[in-house]
Amino acid sequence: MTAPRLALFDCDGTLVDSQANICLAMEHAFDEAGMSPPPRHQTRRIVGLSLVEAMRQLLPEADDSLHRDMAERYKQAFFTLRGNGLVDEPLYDGIAGLLSELDEGGWLLGVATGKSDRGLERCLDTHGIRGLFVTLQTADRHPSKPHPSMVWQALVDAGVEASDAAMIGDTVYDIHMGKAAGCRTIGVGWGYHPLDELHEAGADILVETVEELKAALEQ
């Protein structure tokens, strides 16, 4: 029998395209606080981090109390957008089919994301794919990426050795996290950090399409 294999995915920028929601919620949060919002290209840079860490990146001169306050403002802004029906997190083309093929092929699937538990579950339920995953790790229960805590717990949940797991993501935080845990790392080119940065971060494999991702996993 072959050892089980785990494909561990980031969510935002890897499974779903959520940048419009994230940027809009960030702008609302900063407006509510009476501050000028960061340019959208800066907001896209922090996708994947936990909210407090994201605010540290966006407001490096501010103190921790403001970082935490802004994180709460962001949460409230996102909830308001969702309540108004303005949140849309479409799966990237081909992802649903890839997940089904991997599941049918004997892969174990997981998610490691900066989203909250509630946000991740709602996202996966919307697309009817939550049941495909054996482990869901979020910022609610772990240090922010790139700390490898989420990967470590995913490996325990799946009963898989790091050498039999691949961390798949679109940001340098995903690559650093996966490498720190001893996993193979695959950087995808359809998310929020460019491929050259993922290469510099040490990604083992870089892919530009879902088809290339499937082939990389089978290597």
Side-chain angles (χ1 to χ4, degrees):
M1 294 179 62
T2 59
R5 299 172 298 173
L6 173 66
L8 189 59
F9 291 86
D10 168 56
C11 188
D12 297 314
T14 301
L15 294 178
V16 301
D17 187 2
S18 49
Q19 63 174 307
N21 307 325
I22 293 169
C23 290
L24 195 57
M26 192 67 73
E27 289 160 4
H28 284 204
F30 272 72
D31 286 342
E32 285 293 315
M35 294 188 289
S36 298
R40 288 196 166 192
H41 71 88
Q42 289 186 13
T43 297
R44 286 192 291 270
R45 295 288 306 168
I46 54 81
V47 173
L49 297 174
S50 66
L51 285 177
V52 174
E53 182 59 31
M55 295 306 175
R56 289 192 184 108
Q57 298 269 344
L58 292 173
L59 298 167
E61 303 302 320
D63 60 31
D64 196 56
S65 62
L66 181 58
H67 297 149
R68 295 184 181 281
D69 176 69
M70 291 302 296
E72 290 302 316
R73 288 180 185 274
Y74 176 91
K75 288 181 185 177
Q76 292 303 314
F78 203 93
F79 293 157
T80 299
L81 290 173
R82 190 182 295 282
N84 292 334
L86 298 177
V87 170
D88 183 30
E89 298 176 307
L91 289 171
Y92 285 103
D93 289 344
I95 287 294
L98 172 67
L99 295 175
S100 294
E101 288 183 42
L102 293 175
D103 179 59
E104 292 168 3
W107 281 83
L108 300 175
L109 305 177
V111 177
T113 177
K115 282 183 177 297
S116 66
D117 286 330
R118 179 164 59 175
L120 176 60
E121 290 169 3
R122 188 187 293 266
C123 176
L124 299 181
D125 285 342
T126 295
H127 297 294
I129 59 175
R130 184 174 168 189
L132 293 173
F133 298 97
V134 301
T135 181
L136 300 175
Q137 304 302 321
T138 76
D140 282 350
R141 289 168 283 114
H142 297 279
S144 178
K145 297 177 183 179
H147 193 285
S149 175
M150 283 193 276
V151 181
W152 288 339
Q153 187 59 52
L155 294 172
V156 171
D157 289 353
V160 170
E161 298 294 330
S163 57
D164 291 317
M167 179 65 218
I168 303 149
D170 68 300
T171 70
V172 297
Y173 317 124
D174 300 312
I175 303 305
H176 289 154
M177 178 175 67
K179 293 189 75 65
C183 297
R184 186 161 54 123
T185 54
I186 302 176
V188 304
W190 52 81
Y192 308 143
H193 287 186
L195 284 175
D196 61 341
E197 292 188 16
L198 303 184
H199 173 72
E200 291 175 6
D204 296 305
I205 302 174
L206 299 172
V207 300
E208 296 188 80
T209 67
V210 172
E211 292 74 19
E212 288 180 2
L213 174 55
K214 183 175 185 295
L217 285 168
E218 296 300 339
Q219 287 182 10

